[in-house]
Amino acid sequence: MSRLAKFDVVSIEDLETSDIERVFALADSFAAQLAQGDQITTAAGLIMATLFYEPSTRTRLSFESSMHRLGGAVISSADMHASSAAKGESLADTVRVVSGYADLIVLRHPHDGAARVAAEYAPCPVLNAGDGSREHPTQTLCDLYILRKKKGHLKGLTVALCGDLKFGRTVHSLIYALARFGANIVAVPTSGMDVPDYVLKRLAAERNYSFSTVTMDELKSLAGGLDALYLTPSAPHQMALFTGDGALRNFPAAEPPAALDAFYVTRLQKERMSGKEAGPAQYVRFDARALRTSRTQEAVVMHPLPRLGELAYELDADPRAVYFEQAAAGVPVRMALIALLMEKAAAASVGPRPMAEAIRFKAEPPPRCSNLNCVTRFEGAYLAPRFTLGRSMDATVLALKCGLCERELKIEYVGHARSHRYYHFDENLQGYVRQWIEEGSLAVFDSVKQAEEAGYEPYRRGPQREIMNEEEVVGAIESLADQVIADVPDISAVSIVGVVSHGAMLALRLRGLIGSKTKVLPPCAALDAYKPADALHPIDGAENFNVEDRTIILVDDVINSGWTVQRAMATIWQRGRPAAVKLAVLIDRGHRAVPIRPNYVGKNIPTSRGERVQVRLAAAGTESKSHDRVMIYSIVEPLKEPEAAH
Amino acid sequence: MQSGFFLGVAMSAAPIVALDAAQVGRSIKRIAMEIAERNGGADNIVLVGIVRRGATLAERIADELRANGRREVPVGTLDISSYRDDGKGLPGDPRLIGRDIPFSLDAKRVVLVDDVLYTGRTVRAALDAISDLGRAESVQLAVLVDRGERELPIRADYVGKNIQAPHGQRVYVRLTEIDGADAVVVGNANVK
């Protein structure tokens, strides 16, 4: 049996409070032994592999030092990008291979959620040394360790977190941990670098915890001793700076404020900033003045290092500046974590944490994570996006949470696979959606168009009325053909692309008309932007369809937001570079959300957003056009009692 | 097309100033005003400028919105190159080569900013990049100059000036931050 438990530390939440307390006790004991110069052999014979896909000095060195100090050995690859990763090996394969060489993997990776993937695939335990902008749990252990050492306890401490609270992964892990230990948090973000929503939501949901946010200026005023400012009743969040429980709720104005126990300052992350977001000039600068007020004289100053300009060097001599002790704690704390894994193996009571079961979706394609830095966007087909129900506060969208990076995806249209009905999501559907997830019959859609192309019908339609009859539809298509012929100088350069399904039917009708009017019959293809494998296929009997250097007439029945046209053009561009794209639509109903304008329009029909325009067309070549008509109906009725679940 | 500006005899002549510094400044102010009006303030807006002069214009528009007492508007950039990387020097189709948008576009109204709108190909590539970044509520397009001759069904929401320049002529937008002075100039392809 392995000497280490398969116990992964991907998030600080993977550690029970008792685990953290045990780590601190072990760290105290290792620190004492190191101070005495004792030889420690706890981990003799064990090998740790450090896989760092991103540069790091202190985290890597302190992990490697910890293992050496414990009497174990370390193997390492100098630069992961230069080795197997550069040859395209997946993360899953790399960690499985490395598991054969080592008892423990320490991973630093640039993509959000990568450590969770490594932990799932590696047979040996994985310690997360930072994944993307998510978490960095061992740094948090060091932070908590120092805070507890300096203050004697964690519960009830008031900690001001200053600077970049958005990208700083150390801060996210620290927030979860401070919340767990009952500390009060005051967030002091640099402009535009607030704590992300998913962190706040998780705190609210799992720990019923919230904290207040103050501006840098308010913090500076505090540092200058302008205490009265914080008692102004018209600015309640400022008063909350010193509440007893750190949150906004029910703070009585007369209660005297408590003191700050710690400032945790983060680095200005130059590599992730844009020009306007926050220049160095606007970033927090922390110096000895901040510690001179009556409310801050007991406060310690922490920083994960490296520092840039945000901490004055004059602070270094102050005993309250503990950032170098914080860095030095890295070794005993990481030794303690490795020792904890050995204790857990001896206890043999741990197994992999059960994951919340991912939702199985009906209808293709399944949604993908909206976070561009999510590991699911990089790792290829083996790593399918997985989602669980999220916690959006917005009642008009269904929130799905990515199982790996926790980013929430907002879904507007949901469908029930058995009844083949789709719905615009609202909170009344919440219960039904849960039921459909259990049945495995939930479908989600980006748009009405996608739902209808997947064969789903609107759940309920209001009264219908005809807005174009057969004669008007025939006339509008004729007019489209005339507009194309008058506008395009060389019809032999034209190829027609219709968006499935009604756009494609319309494309064939147009092609027939253009053919009979000009004696040139353009090639014609159907385009399905939702089916990547078969996105563009000829429907004129030809073998191939070429877009390169062609004048493409892109045809759809109705244009609304225009996103479908954007997707259609993206599909065309995957095949080549057309000389031009002209857009022909039977109906333009307004409500454009992208800067796209059709070149040829059969009829403009202003509609309200909740209305749906449905086009019915006879197939090309059929003599009778009696199927041609355009209907309009409403689908905005509030869904009080959905019945499709039965 | 309002206020068309046709340069019928400019082929061999010296470059013509279509907008002087004051007019460029006024155009940017007006675009900023229209953006705020159409969107009921600037609360839900983010600006995305196309490198290089579109990005500078986006910064200027953000400055105007701020100066009008509106709140800070986030500005990101997209770097879209229209030259092939195979060294043949022929213009290829524009594609995304870089991106700096360190904020979420979810449910935001994105105003895409470029200096000149011409074939529409750069904007198309930018729309792909934006749709990849999340679920923006909408994308609006602001350009300092619309010179017509579109090859794709793209149109701008905010236009500083419409200029019809003969084929073979180029429209140059010059901005103080990059070129030392503000101007829009029409001239032969080698005039700069």
Coordinates of all heavy atoms in Angstrom, one line a residue, chain B residues 94-170:
Chain B
P94 N -8.5 39.3 -42.5 CA -8.1 39.7 -41.1 C -8.4 38.6 -40.1 O -9.4 37.9 -40.3 CB -9.0 40.9 -40.8 CG -9.5 41.4 -42.1 CD -9.5 40.2 -43.0
R95 N -7.5 38.4 -39.2 CA -7.7 37.4 -38.1 C -7.2 37.9 -36.8 O -6.3 38.8 -36.8 CB -7.1 36.1 -38.5 CG -5.6 36.2 -38.7 CD -5.0 35.1 -39.4 NE -3.6 35.4 -39.6 CZ -2.7 35.2 -38.7 NH1 -3.0 34.6 -37.5 NH2 -1.5 35.5 -38.9
L96 N -7.7 37.3 -35.8 CA -7.4 37.8 -34.4 C -5.9 37.3 -34.1 O -5.6 36.2 -34.2 CB -8.3 37.2 -33.4 CG -8.2 37.6 -32.0 CD1 -8.6 39.0 -31.8 CD2 -9.0 36.7 -31.1
I97 N -5.1 38.3 -33.7 CA -3.8 37.8 -33.2 C -3.5 38.2 -31.8 O -2.5 37.7 -31.2 CB -2.6 38.4 -34.1 CG1 -2.7 39.9 -34.1 CG2 -2.7 37.8 -35.5 CD1 -1.5 40.5 -34.8
G98 N -4.4 38.9 -31.2 CA -4.2 39.2 -29.7 C -5.4 39.8 -29.1 O -6.3 40.4 -29.8
R99 N -5.5 39.8 -27.8 CA -6.7 40.2 -27.1 C -6.3 40.7 -25.8 O -5.5 40.0 -25.1 CB -7.7 39.1 -27.1 CG -8.8 39.2 -26.2 CD -9.6 37.9 -26.3 NE -8.9 36.8 -25.7 CZ -9.0 35.5 -26.2 NH1 -9.9 35.2 -27.2 NH2 -8.4 34.5 -25.6
D100 N -6.9 41.8 -25.3 CA -6.6 42.2 -24.0 C -8.0 42.8 -23.4 O -8.2 44.0 -23.5 CB -5.5 43.3 -23.9 CG -5.2 43.7 -22.5 OD1 -5.8 43.1 -21.6 OD2 -4.5 44.7 -22.3
I101 N -8.8 41.9 -23.0 CA -10.1 42.2 -22.4 C -10.2 41.6 -21.1 O -10.8 40.5 -20.9 CB -11.2 41.8 -23.4 CG1 -11.0 42.4 -24.8 CG2 -12.6 42.2 -22.8 CD1 -12.1 42.0 -25.8
P102 N -9.7 42.3 -20.0 CA -9.6 41.6 -18.7 C -10.9 41.8 -17.9 O -10.8 42.0 -16.7 CB -8.4 42.3 -18.1 CG -8.4 43.7 -18.7 CD -9.0 43.6 -20.0
F103 N -12.1 41.8 -18.6 CA -13.3 41.9 -17.8 C -14.3 41.1 -18.5 O -14.1 40.7 -19.7 CB -13.8 43.4 -17.7 CG -13.7 44.1 -19.0 CD1 -14.6 44.1 -20.0 CD2 -12.5 45.0 -19.2 CE1 -14.5 44.8 -21.2 CE2 -12.4 45.7 -20.4 CZ -13.4 45.6 -21.4
S104 N -15.4 40.8 -17.8 CA -16.5 39.9 -18.4 C -17.3 40.7 -19.4 O -17.7 41.9 -19.1 CB -17.3 39.3 -17.3 OG -18.5 38.8 -17.9
L105 N -17.7 40.1 -20.5 CA -18.6 40.7 -21.4 C -20.1 40.3 -21.2 O -21.0 40.7 -21.9 CB -18.2 40.4 -22.9 CG -16.8 40.8 -23.3 CD1 -16.6 40.5 -24.8 CD2 -16.6 42.3 -23.0
D106 N -20.3 39.3 -20.3 CA -21.6 38.8 -20.0 C -22.6 39.9 -19.8 O -22.4 40.7 -18.9 CB -21.6 37.9 -18.8 CG -21.1 36.5 -19.1 OD1 -20.8 36.3 -20.3 OD2 -21.1 35.6 -18.2
A107 N -23.7 39.9 -20.6 CA -24.8 40.8 -20.4 C -24.4 42.3 -20.6 O -25.2 43.2 -20.3 CB -25.5 40.6 -19.0
K108 N -23.2 42.5 -21.2 CA -22.8 43.9 -21.4 C -23.2 44.3 -22.8 O -23.3 43.5 -23.7 CB -21.3 44.0 -21.3 CG -20.8 43.7 -19.9 CD -21.1 44.8 -18.9 CE -20.6 44.6 -17.5 NZ -21.3 45.3 -16.5
R109 N -23.3 45.7 -23.0 CA -23.4 46.2 -24.3 C -22.0 46.6 -24.7 O -21.4 47.5 -24.2 CB -24.3 47.4 -24.3 CG -25.7 47.1 -23.9 CD -26.6 48.3 -23.9 NE -28.0 47.9 -23.6 CZ -29.0 48.7 -23.9 NH1 -28.8 49.9 -24.4 NH2 -30.2 48.3 -23.6
V110 N -21.5 45.9 -25.7 CA -20.1 46.1 -26.2 C -20.1 47.1 -27.3 O -20.8 46.9 -28.3 CB -19.5 44.8 -26.6 CG1 -18.1 45.0 -27.2 CG2 -19.5 43.7 -25.5
V111 N -19.4 48.2 -27.2 CA -19.2 49.1 -28.3 C -17.8 48.8 -28.9 O -16.8 49.0 -28.2 CB -19.3 50.6 -27.9 CG1 -19.1 51.5 -29.1 CG2 -20.7 50.8 -27.2
L112 N -17.8 48.3 -30.1 CA -16.6 48.0 -30.8 C -16.2 49.3 -31.5 O -17.0 49.9 -32.2 CB -16.9 46.9 -31.8 CG -15.8 46.3 -32.7 CD1 -14.8 45.6 -31.8 CD2 -16.4 45.3 -33.7
V113 N -14.9 49.6 -31.4 CA -14.4 50.9 -31.9 C -13.3 50.7 -32.9 O -12.3 50.0 -32.6 CB -13.9 51.8 -30.8 CG1 -13.5 53.2 -31.4 CG2 -15.0 52.0 -29.7
D114 N -13.4 51.2 -34.2 CA -12.3 51.2 -35.1 C -12.2 52.5 -35.8 O -13.1 53.4 -35.7 CB -12.6 50.1 -36.1 CG -11.3 49.6 -36.8 OD1 -10.2 50.1 -36.4 OD2 -11.3 48.7 -37.6
D115 N -11.1 52.8 -36.4 CA -10.9 54.1 -37.1 C -11.6 54.2 -38.4 O -12.4 55.1 -38.6 CB -9.4 54.5 -37.2 CG -8.6 53.4 -37.9 OD1 -9.1 52.3 -38.2 OD2 -7.4 53.7 -38.3
V116 N -11.4 53.2 -39.3 CA -12.1 53.3 -40.6 C -12.9 52.0 -40.9 O -12.4 50.9 -40.6 CB -11.0 53.4 -41.7 CG1 -11.7 53.5 -43.1 CG2 -10.2 54.7 -41.5
L117 N -14.1 52.1 -41.3 CA -14.9 51.0 -41.7 C -14.9 50.9 -43.2 O -15.2 51.9 -43.9 CB -16.3 51.1 -41.2 CG -17.3 50.0 -41.7 CD1 -16.9 48.6 -41.2 CD2 -18.7 50.3 -41.1
Y118 N -14.4 49.8 -43.8 CA -14.2 49.7 -45.2 C -14.9 48.4 -45.7 O -16.1 48.4 -45.8 CB -12.7 49.8 -45.5 CG -12.3 49.8 -47.0 CD1 -13.2 50.4 -48.0 CD2 -11.1 49.4 -47.4 CE1 -12.8 50.4 -49.3 CE2 -10.7 49.4 -48.7 CZ -11.5 50.0 -49.7 OH -11.1 50.0 -51.0
T119 N -14.2 47.3 -45.9 CA -14.8 46.1 -46.4 C -15.7 45.4 -45.4 O -16.6 44.7 -45.7 CB -13.7 45.1 -46.8 OG1 -13.0 44.7 -45.6 CG2 -12.8 45.7 -47.8
G120 N -15.4 45.6 -44.1 CA -16.2 45.0 -43.0 C -15.5 43.7 -42.5 O -16.0 43.1 -41.6
R121 N -14.4 43.3 -43.1 CA -13.8 42.0 -42.8 C -13.1 42.1 -41.4 O -13.2 41.1 -40.7 CB -12.7 41.7 -43.8 CG -13.3 41.3 -45.2 CD -12.3 40.9 -46.2 NE -12.9 40.8 -47.5 CZ -13.3 39.6 -48.0 NH1 -13.2 38.5 -47.2 NH2 -13.9 39.5 -49.2
T122 N -12.6 43.2 -41.0 CA -12.0 43.3 -39.7 C -13.1 43.2 -38.6 O -12.9 42.6 -37.6 CB -11.2 44.7 -39.6 OG1 -10.2 44.7 -40.6 CG2 -10.6 44.8 -38.2
V123 N -14.2 43.9 -38.9 CA -15.3 43.9 -37.9 C -15.8 42.4 -37.8 O -16.1 42.0 -36.7 CB -16.4 44.8 -38.3 CG1 -17.6 44.7 -37.4 CG2 -15.9 46.3 -38.3
R124 N -15.9 41.7 -38.9 CA -16.4 40.4 -38.8 C -15.5 39.5 -37.9 O -15.9 38.8 -37.0 CB -16.4 39.7 -40.2 CG -17.2 38.4 -40.2 CD -16.7 37.5 -41.3 NE -15.3 37.1 -41.2 CZ -14.9 36.1 -40.3 NH1 -15.8 35.5 -39.6 NH2 -13.6 35.9 -40.2
A125 N -14.2 39.7 -38.1 CA -13.2 38.9 -37.3 C -13.4 39.3 -35.8 O -13.3 38.5 -34.9 CB -11.8 39.2 -37.7
A126 N -13.6 40.6 -35.6 CA -13.8 41.1 -34.2 C -15.1 40.5 -33.6 O -15.1 40.2 -32.4 CB -13.9 42.6 -34.2
L127 N -16.2 40.4 -34.4 CA -17.4 39.8 -33.8 C -17.2 38.4 -33.4 O -17.7 37.9 -32.4 CB -18.5 39.9 -34.9 CG -19.1 41.3 -35.2 CD1 -20.2 41.2 -36.3 CD2 -19.8 41.8 -33.9
D128 N -16.4 37.6 -34.2 CA -16.1 36.3 -33.8 C -15.4 36.2 -32.5 O -15.8 35.4 -31.6 CB -15.2 35.6 -34.9 CG -16.0 35.1 -36.1 OD1 -17.2 35.3 -36.1 OD2 -15.4 34.5 -37.0
A129 N -14.4 37.1 -32.3 CA -13.7 37.2 -31.1 C -14.6 37.5 -29.9 O -14.5 36.9 -28.8 CB -12.5 38.2 -31.2
I130 N -15.5 38.5 -30.1 CA -16.4 38.9 -29.0 C -17.3 37.8 -28.6 O -17.6 37.5 -27.5 CB -17.1 40.2 -29.4 CG1 -16.1 41.3 -29.4 CG2 -18.2 40.5 -28.4 CD1 -16.7 42.6 -30.0
S131 N -17.9 37.1 -29.7 CA -18.9 36.0 -29.4 C -18.2 34.9 -28.7 O -18.8 34.2 -27.9 CB -19.6 35.6 -30.6 OG -18.8 34.7 -31.4
D132 N -16.9 34.7 -28.9 CA -16.1 33.7 -28.2 C -15.9 34.0 -26.7 O -15.6 33.1 -25.9 CB -14.7 33.6 -28.8 CG -14.4 32.2 -29.3 OD1 -15.4 31.5 -29.5 OD2 -13.2 31.9 -29.6
L133 N -16.0 35.3 -26.4 CA -15.7 35.7 -25.0 C -16.9 35.7 -24.1 O -16.7 36.1 -22.9 CB -15.2 37.2 -25.1 CG -13.7 37.3 -25.4 CD1 -13.4 38.8 -25.7 CD2 -12.8 36.8 -24.3
G134 N -18.0 35.3 -24.5 CA -19.1 35.2 -23.6 C -20.4 35.8 -24.2 O -20.4 36.0 -25.4
R135 N -21.4 36.0 -23.4 CA -22.7 36.3 -23.9 C -23.0 37.8 -23.7 O -23.7 38.2 -22.8 CB -23.7 35.4 -23.2 CG -23.5 34.0 -23.3 CD -24.4 33.2 -22.5 NE -25.8 33.3 -23.1 CZ -26.3 32.6 -24.1 NH1 -25.5 31.8 -24.7 NH2 -27.5 32.8 -24.5
A136 N -22.4 38.6 -24.6 CA -22.7 40.0 -24.6 C -24.1 40.2 -24.9 O -24.7 39.5 -25.8 CB -21.8 40.7 -25.6
E137 N -24.7 41.2 -24.3 CA -26.1 41.5 -24.7 C -26.2 42.0 -26.1 O -27.1 41.6 -26.9 CB -26.7 42.6 -23.8 CG -28.1 42.9 -24.0 CD -28.6 44.2 -23.3 OE1 -28.4 44.3 -22.1 OE2 -29.1 45.1 -24.0
S138 N -25.3 42.9 -26.5 CA -25.3 43.3 -27.9 C -23.9 43.9 -28.2 O -23.1 44.1 -27.3 CB -26.3 44.4 -28.1 OG -26.0 45.6 -27.3
V139 N -23.6 44.0 -29.5 CA -22.4 44.6 -30.0 C -22.8 45.8 -30.9 O -23.6 45.6 -31.9 CB -21.5 43.6 -30.8 CG1 -20.2 44.3 -31.2 CG2 -21.3 42.4 -30.0
Q140 N -22.3 47.0 -30.6 CA -22.6 48.1 -31.4 C -21.2 48.6 -32.0 O -20.2 48.3 -31.4 CB -23.2 49.3 -30.6 CG -24.5 48.9 -29.9 CD -24.9 49.8 -28.8 OE1 -24.4 51.0 -28.7 NE2 -25.9 49.4 -28.0
L141 N -21.3 49.2 -33.2 CA -20.0 49.5 -33.9 C -19.9 51.0 -34.0 O -20.8 51.7 -34.5 CB -20.0 48.8 -35.3 CG -18.8 49.2 -36.2 CD1 -17.5 48.7 -35.5 CD2 -19.0 48.5 -37.5
A142 N -18.8 51.6 -33.6 CA -18.5 53.0 -33.7 C -17.2 53.2 -34.5 O -16.2 52.5 -34.3 CB -18.3 53.6 -32.3
V143 N -17.3 54.0 -35.6 CA -16.1 54.2 -36.4 C -16.0 55.7 -36.6 O -16.9 56.5 -36.7 CB -16.2 53.5 -37.8 CG1 -16.2 52.0 -37.6 CG2 -17.4 53.9 -38.6
L144 N -14.7 56.2 -36.8 CA -14.5 57.6 -37.0 C -14.9 57.9 -38.5 O -15.4 58.9 -38.8 CB -13.1 58.0 -36.7 CG -12.7 59.5 -36.8 CD1 -13.6 60.3 -35.8 CD2 -11.3 59.7 -36.5
V145 N -14.5 57.0 -39.4 CA -14.8 57.2 -40.8 C -15.4 55.9 -41.4 O -14.9 54.8 -41.2 CB -13.5 57.5 -41.6 CG1 -13.7 57.5 -43.1 CG2 -12.8 58.7 -41.1
D146 N -16.5 56.1 -42.1 CA -17.1 55.0 -42.9 C -16.8 55.4 -44.4 O -17.3 56.4 -44.9 CB -18.6 54.9 -42.7 CG -19.2 53.8 -43.5 OD1 -18.6 53.2 -44.3 OD2 -20.4 53.5 -43.2
R147 N -16.0 54.6 -45.0 CA -15.7 54.9 -46.4 C -16.4 54.1 -47.4 O -16.1 54.0 -48.6 CB -14.2 54.9 -46.7 CG -13.5 53.6 -46.5 CD -12.1 53.6 -47.2 NE -12.2 53.8 -48.6 CZ -11.1 53.7 -49.5 NH1 -9.9 53.5 -49.0 NH2 -11.3 53.9 -50.7
G148 N -17.5 53.4 -47.0 CA -18.3 52.6 -47.9 C -17.6 51.4 -48.5 O -16.7 50.9 -47.9
E149 N -18.0 51.0 -49.7 CA -17.4 49.9 -50.4 C -17.4 48.6 -49.6 O -16.4 47.9 -49.6 CB -15.9 50.2 -50.8 CG -15.8 51.5 -51.6 CD -16.2 51.3 -53.1 OE1 -16.0 50.2 -53.6 OE2 -16.8 52.3 -53.6
R150 N -18.5 48.3 -48.9 CA -18.5 47.1 -48.1 C -18.5 45.8 -48.9 O -19.2 45.7 -49.9 CB -19.8 47.2 -47.2 CG -19.6 46.5 -45.8 CD -18.9 47.4 -44.8 NE -19.8 48.4 -44.3 CZ -19.5 49.7 -44.5 NH1 -18.4 50.1 -45.1 NH2 -20.3 50.6 -44.0
E151 N -17.8 44.8 -48.4 CA -17.8 43.5 -49.0 C -18.7 42.5 -48.2 O -19.0 41.5 -48.6 CB -16.4 42.9 -49.1 CG -15.6 43.7 -50.2 CD -14.1 43.3 -50.2 OE1 -13.7 42.4 -49.4 OE2 -13.4 43.9 -51.0
L152 N -19.0 42.9 -46.9 CA -19.8 42.1 -46.0 C -21.0 42.9 -45.5 O -20.9 44.1 -45.5 CB -19.0 41.6 -44.8 CG -17.6 40.9 -45.2 CD1 -17.0 40.4 -43.9 CD2 -17.8 39.8 -46.1
P153 N -22.0 42.2 -45.0 CA -23.2 42.9 -44.6 C -23.1 43.6 -43.2 O -23.8 43.3 -42.3 CB -24.3 41.9 -44.6 CG -23.6 40.6 -44.4 CD -22.3 40.8 -45.0
I154 N -22.1 44.4 -43.0 CA -21.8 45.0 -41.8 C -22.1 46.5 -41.9 O -21.9 47.2 -42.9 CB -20.2 45.0 -41.5 CG1 -19.8 43.5 -41.4 CG2 -19.8 45.7 -40.2 CD1 -20.2 42.7 -40.2
R155 N -22.7 47.1 -40.8 CA -23.0 48.5 -40.8 C -22.6 49.1 -39.4 O -22.6 48.4 -38.4 CB -24.5 48.8 -41.1 CG -25.4 48.1 -40.2 CD -26.3 49.0 -39.4 NE -27.1 48.2 -38.5 CZ -26.8 47.9 -37.2 NH1 -25.7 48.4 -36.7 NH2 -27.7 47.2 -36.5
A156 N -22.3 50.4 -39.4 CA -21.9 51.0 -38.1 C -23.1 51.6 -37.5 O -24.0 52.1 -38.1 CB -20.8 52.0 -38.4
D157 N -23.1 51.6 -36.1 CA -24.1 52.3 -35.4 C -23.8 53.8 -35.1 O -24.7 54.6 -35.0 CB -24.3 51.7 -34.0 CG -24.7 50.2 -34.1 OD1 -23.8 49.3 -34.2 OD2 -25.9 50.0 -34.1
Y158 N -22.5 54.1 -35.1 CA -22.0 55.5 -34.8 C -20.9 55.8 -35.8 O -19.9 55.0 -35.9 CB -21.5 55.6 -33.4 CG -22.3 55.0 -32.3 CD1 -22.1 53.8 -31.8 CD2 -23.5 55.7 -31.9 CE1 -22.9 53.2 -30.9 CE2 -24.3 55.1 -30.9 CZ -24.0 53.8 -30.4 OH -24.8 53.3 -29.5
V159 N -21.1 56.8 -36.6 CA -20.1 57.2 -37.6 C -19.7 58.6 -37.4 O -20.6 59.5 -37.3 CB -20.8 57.0 -39.0 CG1 -19.8 57.4 -40.1 CG2 -21.2 55.6 -39.3
G160 N -18.4 58.9 -37.4 CA -17.9 60.3 -37.3 C -18.2 61.0 -38.6 O -18.7 62.1 -38.7
K161 N -17.8 60.4 -39.7 CA -18.0 61.0 -41.0 C -18.0 59.9 -42.1 O -17.2 59.0 -42.1 CB -16.8 62.0 -41.3 CG -17.0 62.8 -42.6 CD -16.1 64.0 -42.6 CE -16.3 64.8 -43.9 NZ -17.6 65.5 -43.9
N162 N -18.9 60.1 -43.1 CA -18.9 59.3 -44.3 C -18.0 59.9 -45.3 O -18.1 61.1 -45.6 CB -20.3 59.1 -44.8 CG -21.1 58.3 -44.0 OD1 -20.9 57.1 -43.8 ND2 -22.1 58.9 -43.3
I163 N -17.0 59.1 -45.9 CA -16.1 59.6 -46.9 C -16.1 58.6 -48.1 O -15.9 57.5 -47.9 CB -14.7 59.8 -46.4 CG1 -14.6 60.8 -45.2 CG2 -13.7 60.1 -47.5 CD1 -13.3 61.0 -44.6
Q164 N -16.5 59.1 -49.2 CA -16.4 58.3 -50.4 C -15.1 58.6 -51.1 O -14.9 59.7 -51.7 CB -17.5 58.5 -51.4 CG -18.9 58.0 -50.8 CD -20.0 58.3 -51.7 OE1 -20.5 59.4 -51.6 NE2 -20.4 57.4 -52.6
A165 N -14.1 57.7 -51.0 CA -12.8 57.9 -51.7 C -12.7 57.0 -52.8 O -13.2 55.9 -52.8 CB -11.7 57.7 -50.7
P166 N -12.1 57.5 -53.9 CA -12.0 56.6 -55.1 C -11.2 55.3 -54.8 O -10.3 55.4 -53.9 CB -11.3 57.4 -56.1 CG -11.3 58.8 -55.6 CD -11.5 58.8 -54.2
H167 N -11.5 54.3 -55.5 CA -10.7 53.1 -55.4 C -9.3 53.4 -55.6 O -8.9 54.2 -56.5 CB -11.2 52.0 -56.4 CG -11.1 50.6 -55.9 ND1 -11.8 50.1 -54.8 CD2 -10.2 49.6 -56.3 CE1 -11.4 48.9 -54.6 NE2 -10.4 48.6 -55.4
G168 N -8.4 52.8 -54.9 CA -7.0 53.0 -55.0 C -6.5 54.1 -54.1 O -5.3 54.3 -53.9
Q169 N -7.4 54.9 -53.6 CA -7.0 55.9 -52.6 C -7.2 55.3 -51.2 O -8.0 54.4 -51.0 CB -7.9 57.1 -52.7 CG -7.8 57.8 -54.1 CD -6.9 59.1 -53.9 OE1 -7.3 60.0 -53.2 NE2 -5.8 59.1 -54.6
R170 N -6.5 55.9 -50.3 CA -6.6 55.4 -48.9 C -7.1 56.5 -48.0 O -6.8 57.7 -48.2 CB -5.3 54.8 -48.4 CG -5.0 53.5 -49.1 CD -4.0 52.7 -48.3 NE -4.5 52.4 -47.0 CZ -3.8 51.6 -46.1 NH1 -2.6 51.1 -46.4 NH2 -4.3 51.4 -44.9

